[in-house]
Amino acid sequence: MTMITNHMPTAELQAIDAAHHMHPFTTNDELAEQGARVITRAKGVFLTDSEGNEILDGMAGLWCVNIGYGRTEMAEVAARQMAELPYYNTFFKTTHVPAIALSQEIARLAPEGMNNVFFAGSGSEANDTNIRMVRTYWAEKGKPSKSHIISRKNAYHGSSMGSGSLGGMDYMHAQGGMPIPGIHHIGQPDWWAEGGDMTPEEFGLARARELEAKIEELGEDNVAAFIAEPVQGAGGVIIPPETYWPEIQRICDKYEILLIADEVICGFGRTGNWFGSQTFGIRPHIMTIAKGLSSGYQPIGGSVVCDEVASVIGATEFNHGYTYSGHPVASAVALKNLQILQDENILDHVRNTAGPAFRAGLEGLADHPLVGGASVIGLMGSLPLTPHKESRAKFAGEAGAIGLMCRERCFANNLVMRHVGDRMVVSPPLVITPDEINIFMDRARKALDETWQKADKEGLLKAAS
Ligand SMILES: *Cc1c(COP(=O)(O)O)cnc(C)c1O
């Protein structure tokens, strides 16, 4: 076996990576030609790559490293737990202290009446659990016909067959036989891209009422649940108009539809509260959690389940679970993460310090000729790029080309921002300081300038007609 170390030349590491490692959501042949960037270590909000560049991670990895990188207490907890009990399952009438303690702490932080946790290894797995759980719930209640689940276009709920079907990404559905039967998608509350001449408030109501129309089309007796992210993350940080969630809540209540809030990104402080449901006044029956639950230090996810659903599920054998449900090391690490979030008042930092500074910075970038505006909540935000702000016009060329160009200019300036089409999205670690936010904004402005110059030179700043 070759020992691979951080001290190998970058090109050598890239060549081995290209030869053997199939990357997710990547055209691997193209990447093999370009060579992947090799990340070697990280501390706080900064990544270091194999060339020694210090990159500000404006995405907290994949929206998950809420407490920042390099927290040695997390490593100590993992080492202690591995030495004491590295693994045991929770299937056959057994349990262990990390799963006991973590489930209690999640229940304590979750909204009133949500006192039950079913553990999974990821957000995708948890959403697969949710599909089976809501269908089993209605079957046990004597209403097995209530099995259809309504989701939204451009939603992201994971990448397995079930969760990828719940998601509304057409390019994912195009491969591998998704969506599975019984999943339906209504329009998303993306006023910027789809609101036309409506006010955001009118548009929010119109999009929420698509849920009512879909329930009536399918028949109330056939619908089990509606699933949505409080704020769509991977879809482009789409913050719904104020009218949207109250209307969705009214409709779910009226038709007795279970409401699943996918909190995988919004949970654990991202919007300034423990859960996005609290920020938006949503009363879910089930919340999907992952990512920020452990700040990405260990893979773990789960479903937080209200007492009514848990009591119905609890009365029968639920033939479902994962080898790593409630994994002791992952649970111990997640618990430590929740403790750090509380001991260091990190939610308060998001609400009162970092959040306002981040908002001011992104709103400051909105005067850039390429930026159409800024939407921000807590520490997540988006900057739609446009050739014409007033009409919110799209670019005439290929969708996403300018966004990709901007992402690459960001990387060249040691900043990670992601692009979703021609919208830049950001979601930094929650511990980012005002000084680091200034560094972020300086690098972002430089990247935007370079994008504008490059796009202008290539004649790409024309608006679609
Ligand atoms: C990332 C994500 C998931 C999937 O989580 P994985 O851990 O990648 O399986 C599900 N829902 C939302 C909202 C996400 O952002």
Side-chain angles (χ1 to χ4, degrees):
M1 194 177 84
T2 329
M3 283 301 290
I4 310 262
T5 74
N6 277 345
H7 306 293
M8 264 175 138
T10 303
E12 236 173 277
L13 292 167
Q14 287 171 328
I16 300 171
D17 186 72
H20 302 294
H21 178 195
M22 300 173 77
H23 290 246
F25 286 98
T26 297
T27 307
N28 278 278
D29 287 354
E30 193 181 281
L31 179 66
E33 270 170 39
Q34 295 165 353
R37 191 186 276 251
V38 183
I39 305 299
T40 53
R41 57 176 61 81
K43 181 93 191 144
V45 301
F46 289 99
L47 309 165
T48 305
D49 72 9
S50 55
E51 296 293 292
N53 293 304
E54 300 237 325
I55 307 153
L56 198 162
D57 184 5
M59 283 306 298
L62 280 177
W63 326 77
C64 55
V65 189
N66 289 7
I67 61 168
Y69 296 93
R71 299 294 305 243
T72 52
E73 314 92 292
M74 299 282 275
E76 282 155 16
V77 165
R80 215 180 307 139
Q81 186 59 46
M82 274 192 203
E84 196 168 290
L85 180 70
Y87 176 73
Y88 201 69
N89 73 75
T90 52
F91 281 30
F92 309 117
K93 303 189 178 177
T94 58
T95 190
H96 48 66
V97 174
I100 295 169
L102 181 61
S103 59
Q104 183 190 40
E105 185 62 1
I106 292 169
R108 197 177 70 76
L109 298 173
E112 178 87 31
M114 303 194 77
N115 292 304
N116 316 275
V117 187
F118 192 103
F119 286 113
S122 67
S124 300
E125 287 181 8
N127 277 325
D128 279 19
T129 298
N130 293 339
I131 294 173
R132 299 196 57 209
M133 193 180 297
V134 297
R135 288 175 173 171
T136 305
Y137 169 82
W138 287 116
E140 290 300 312
K141 297 266 282 187
K143 295 183 177 175
S145 67
K146 278 176 85 72
S147 68
H148 290 258
I149 300 174
I150 302 172
S151 180
R152 304 181 298 181
K153 294 172 189 155
N154 199 36
Y156 190 79
H157 297 297
S159 189
S160 59
M161 283 303 284
S163 63
S165 298
L166 290 176
M169 304 289 184
D170 291 339
Y171 63 94
M172 288 175 68
H173 292 171
Q175 296 172 325
M178 293 197 290
I180 59 170
I183 313 273
H184 309 268
H185 299 86
I186 59 171
Q188 58 173 337
D190 181 356
W191 176 80
W192 169 269
E194 300 176 1
D197 295 332
M198 283 189 222
T199 65
E201 292 70 28
E202 289 164 352
F203 181 70
L205 275 183
R207 280 293 154 97
R209 286 177 186 156
E210 287 188 21
L211 176 59
E212 190 156 36
K214 184 57 84 177
I215 293 168
E216 283 176 352
E217 175 196 323
L218 294 167
E220 161 177 7
D221 290 340
N222 298 319
V223 180
F226 173 66
I227 182 168
E229 306 150 79
V231 176
Q232 284 155 268
V237 185
I238 294 156
I239 303 170
E242 275 175 26
T243 47
Y244 183 76
W245 272 113
E247 184 67 1
I248 291 283
Q249 185 71 58
R250 179 190 72 74
I251 294 164
C252 289
D253 291 349
K254 175 174 168 196
Y255 294 94
E256 277 198 83
I257 304 299
L258 295 178
L259 176 54
I260 307 169
D262 186 336
E263 295 270 5
V264 170
I265 288 176
C266 292
F268 305 103
R270 179 60 56 197
T271 68
N273 291 299
W274 282 104
F275 296 98
S277 292
Q278 293 157 333
T279 302
F280 289 91
I282 307 165
R283 285 176 281 107
H285 297 91
I286 299 176
M287 298 191 299
T288 320
I289 56 174
K291 296 193 171 121
L293 168 59
S294 66
S295 284
Y297 279 67
Q298 283 282 290
I300 184 168
S303 306
V304 188
V305 182
C306 73
D307 298 344
E308 150 71 11
V309 171
S311 76
V312 171
I313 296 293
T316 185
E317 181 170 354
F318 188 34
N319 298 310
H320 175 73
Y322 307 104
T323 300
Y324 297 140
S325 286
H327 189 285
V329 178
S331 296
V333 166
L335 188 63
K336 184 70 189 176
N337 175 61
L338 299 183
Q339 192 193 335
I340 289 173
L341 285 167
Q342 293 173 79
D343 287 353
E344 299 178 11
N345 296 316
I346 291 173
L347 271 61
D348 190 65
H349 174 75
V350 173
R351 276 197 296 270
N352 300 315
T353 307
F358 186 65
R359 169 181 294 279
L362 288 181
E363 285 175 352
L365 293 177
D367 70 8
H368 193 279
L370 204 53
V371 177
S375 354
V376 193
I377 188 151
L379 276 179
M380 64 198 296
S382 74
L383 299 169
L385 306 182
T386 174
H388 189 251
K389 298 183 196 230
E390 287 68 34
S391 62
R392 314 199 301 277
K394 297 181 171 58
F395 294 98
E398 196 189 333
I402 306 294
L404 175 62
M405 193 183 281
C406 186
R407 187 191 75 181
E408 295 192 333
R409 293 328 301 156
C410 287
F411 236 134
N413 284 289
N414 288 330
L415 173 67
V416 178
M417 270 210 266
R418 200 166 137 184
H419 79 111
V420 177
D422 290 310
R423 198 181 317 223
M424 304 313 294
V425 297
V426 284
S427 161
L430 304 186
V431 295
I432 193 168
T433 64
D435 284 346
E436 290 162 344
I437 289 172
N438 287 338
I439 298 173
F440 180 111
M441 297 303 159
D442 289 347
R443 291 181 184 179
R445 183 171 287 278
K446 187 147 178 286
L448 286 164
D449 285 345
E450 291 174 9
T451 307
W452 193 84
Q453 283 154 14
K454 190 162 189 277
D456 189 34
K457 202 186 288 172
E458 294 176 18
L460 298 175
L461 291 176
K462 287 192 275 294
S465 50

